[in-house]
């Protein structure tokens, strides 16, 4: 019997995009269910009753929540191709550290670029570039964060690229001028079809963020 795989998601979410890349890397067919986050479905509330957030992967009726946990689950269950985490325990721990860094640092500093003004925005811009300079240092001269092949850390970070145009417009910044290595790395990741087809279009993200700012009163 074939696996039943369902992804509960919202197209704008960089966290949902991570799961889409992982499923594409593994060649897994799945049923994509777009959620209305202002009117969450009974299925989402049942599948993730604690956090009530997307993304949620439902595999043969069993829900898994939180994007990095889902990606690791996918890597463990469908372990016959395209490994996302290294087999070496130390390298695996290292990859998890940097993916966690992305969640703890990149998420917060990026949000400041489109939700704040004045001094708070200026501080946010400084912190944004400091964070990405740290990531450039970790990337070094390697093509991918894990070395020669696309992996867990790349997948964790590259989905933010779909928001870069919005960050640049609302933050009045030029990411490529400050962090050329990150842009070159992102463009290399996008050469992979599994990544390119999983990321939301930058202009569509920007248009959606314009509406979000109006709704939430950030303008």
């Amino acid at each position: 019997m074939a696996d039943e795989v369902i992804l509960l998601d919202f197209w704008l979410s960089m966290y949902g995009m991570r799961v889409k890349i992982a499923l594409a890397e593994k060649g897994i067919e799945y049923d994509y269910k777009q959620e209305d986050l202002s009117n969450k479905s009974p299925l989402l509330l049942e599948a993730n009753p604690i956090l009530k957030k997307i993304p949620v992967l439902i595999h043969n009726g069993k829900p898994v929540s939180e994007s990095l946990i889902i990606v690791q689950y996918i890597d463990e269950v469908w372990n016959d191709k395209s490994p996302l985490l290294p087999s070496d325990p130390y390298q695996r721990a290292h990859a998890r550290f940097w993916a966690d860094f992305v969640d703890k640092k990149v998420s917060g500093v990026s949000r400041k670029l489109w939700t704040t003004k004045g001094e708070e925005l200026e501080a946010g811009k400084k912190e944004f570039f400091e964070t990405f300079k740290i990531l450039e240092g970790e990337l070094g001269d390697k093509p991918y964060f894990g070395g020669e092949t696309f992996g867990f850390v790349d997948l964790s970070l590259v989905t933010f690229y779909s928001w870069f145009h919005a960050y640049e417009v609302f933050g009045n910044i030029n990411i490529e001028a400050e962090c050329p290595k990150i842009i070159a790395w992102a463009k290399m990741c996008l050469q992979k079809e599994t990544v390119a087809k999983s990321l939301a279009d930058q202009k569509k993200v920007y248009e959606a963020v314009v509406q979000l700012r109006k709704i939430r009163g950030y303008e």
Side-chain angles (χ1 to χ4, degrees):
M1 185 175 125
D3 285 329
E4 181 190 45
V5 181
I6 300 168
L7 175 60
L8 309 182
D9 189 23
F10 180 62
W11 73 274
L12 197 55
S13 168
M14 61 276 285
Y15 308 107
M17 293 178 217
R18 291 170 169 175
V19 181
K20 289 164 76 174
I21 294 172
L23 290 167
E25 282 284 303
K26 299 292 186 176
I28 305 302
E29 292 185 8
Y30 61 98
D31 184 11
Y32 183 85
K33 293 189 183 295
Q34 173 89 349
E35 283 287 328
D36 176 356
L37 299 185
S38 62
N39 184 25
K40 296 173 183 177
S41 72
L43 182 58
L44 174 58
L45 297 177
E46 181 187 339
N48 191 2
I50 307 300
L51 299 176
K52 303 178 175 63
K53 287 169 27 178
I54 54 93
V56 177
L57 185 82
I58 304 175
H59 179 212
N60 294 334
K62 296 176 181 177
V64 184
S65 304
E66 295 294 278
S67 63
L68 293 182
I69 294 171
I70 296 170
V71 169
Q72 291 175 77
Y73 175 83
I74 290 168
D75 200 38
E76 290 170 8
V77 171
W78 292 281
N79 58 11
D80 58 330
K81 65 176 287 191
S82 304
L84 297 168
L85 278 152
S87 57
D88 176 77
Y90 177 75
Q91 290 178 0
R92 196 158 61 240
H94 190 76
R96 284 176 172 144
F97 170 86
W98 284 105
D100 186 60
F101 177 87
V102 171
D103 263 7
K104 286 179 175 160
K105 290 291 290 180
V106 176
S107 300
V109 299
S110 300
R111 185 175 177 79
K112 288 178 184 176
L113 297 180
W114 65 276
T115 62
T116 63
K117 298 176 185 176
E119 289 182 6
E120 195 178 353
L121 175 58
E122 290 307 310
K125 289 197 274 194
K126 184 172 180 288
E127 194 180 355
F128 178 87
F129 284 124
E130 284 172 354
T131 300
F132 274 92
K133 293 285 186 189
I134 290 169
L135 286 163
E136 282 197 323
E138 169 59 20
L139 179 63
D141 295 323
K142 306 186 298 290
Y144 298 106
F145 279 93
E148 296 300 316
T149 56
F150 180 85
F152 190 56
V153 182
D154 306 292
L155 177 152
S156 303
L157 181 61
V158 76
T159 57
F160 287 86
Y161 183 74
S162 61
W163 282 65
F164 273 17
H165 179 61
Y167 298 156
E168 290 188 321
V169 173
F170 298 118
N172 191 27
I173 58 173
N174 183 328
I175 298 172
E176 188 163 22
E178 295 286 337
C179 299
K181 274 188 181 179
I182 288 292
I183 297 298
W185 158 83
K187 288 179 177 176
M188 185 167 180
C189 290
L190 276 164
Q191 290 176 16
K192 291 177 64 67
E193 185 187 355
T194 53
V195 175
K197 74 178 185 181
S198 301
L199 295 196
D201 178 76
Q202 284 195 351
K203 295 293 167 62
K204 288 181 179 175
V205 170
Y206 167 74
E207 289 163 6
V209 175
V210 169
Q211 296 306 313
L212 270 177
R213 279 164 54 89
K214 287 178 182 174
I215 292 166
R216 298 182 182 179
Y218 295 139
E219 293 188 333

